[in-house]
Amino acid sequence: MSASGLTRVEIDQHGGAHCGWCDTPIAKGTSRVARAFFHQPGHYSRNNGATTGYNQGGPQDLYMHSQCTFQYDANPKGQPAGCTGCGKMVEPPHRVLSRFGKPGARCTPATSGPLYYCFSCTHDFVQTHRELLTGYLAAEQSEMPVAWRSAGPFASSSEGGPPALPKDKTLRAQYLGCFHFEPPQSEEDAATARSRHDELQNVISEALKRDRLLRKRPADTSVDHAAIGEAPRKKRQAQAPEKKGGQKVDLVE
Ligand SMILES: [Zn+2]
Ligand SMILES: [Zn+2]
């Protein structure tokens, strides 16, 4: 894989970093994928766990939940693009993408272009990092509902449901094959991947609900925090990306 794309998988040592796609926390001790990119100077980045200050910009790592890193490219109008791994031209329905979320709008594709990967390079990445992805990624997990839909740029990103996978059985099997380890992970590890997937989607779903509530009642300071399941301090944090804009600085690649 290219040094400018997804570079490695690691265990988060500190906690507090926010995922580049869903903008919910990456828990300490869980696996995350690092993507090298150029960060514009400006507001601090929630992605690396900062809550205040200035980001000097430059080449940096951006982190994502392992489960948020790869999405099937279901956009039928997608243009051919070079695979970030091998350089081969790839287009839907035969490719996977990895993309950032929009600043202040979790699980909504950023305006910066995604990274594209052919199935073979996706599988290579998963296989190379299998030790840290075991218990996080599994073929069955890739078919499970997500709190947001991955159905191309025209779909609503705020509704949950099954991911937009290929209808064609052969193609679907090829895509899911990206997440089969060799040798296969144990049934116990695959079950852990499924339950971690559910847990994460619950967290994202709750965050999306809070986003909608806060958007509806932005000026209402008497909002019932118990009703949205958060302490007031947290509510301010949740609002911050919208107010300040660009905390997750838009990305230049
Ligand atoms: Zn995430
Ligand atoms: Zn490739």
Side-chain angles (χ1 to χ4, degrees), residues 1 82-88 90 116-122:
M1 292 246 160
C83 167
T84 308
C86 66
K88 193 177 75 185
V90 281
Y116 297 105
Y117 286 101
C118 70
F119 291 165
S120 170
C121 286
T122 306

Side-chain angles (χ1 to χ4, degrees), residues 136-152:
Y136 291 89
L137 289 186
E140 308 92 305
Q141 172 258 315
S142 303
E143 297 186 283
M144 291 168 68
V146 287
W148 41 274
R149 264 178 209 278
S150 171

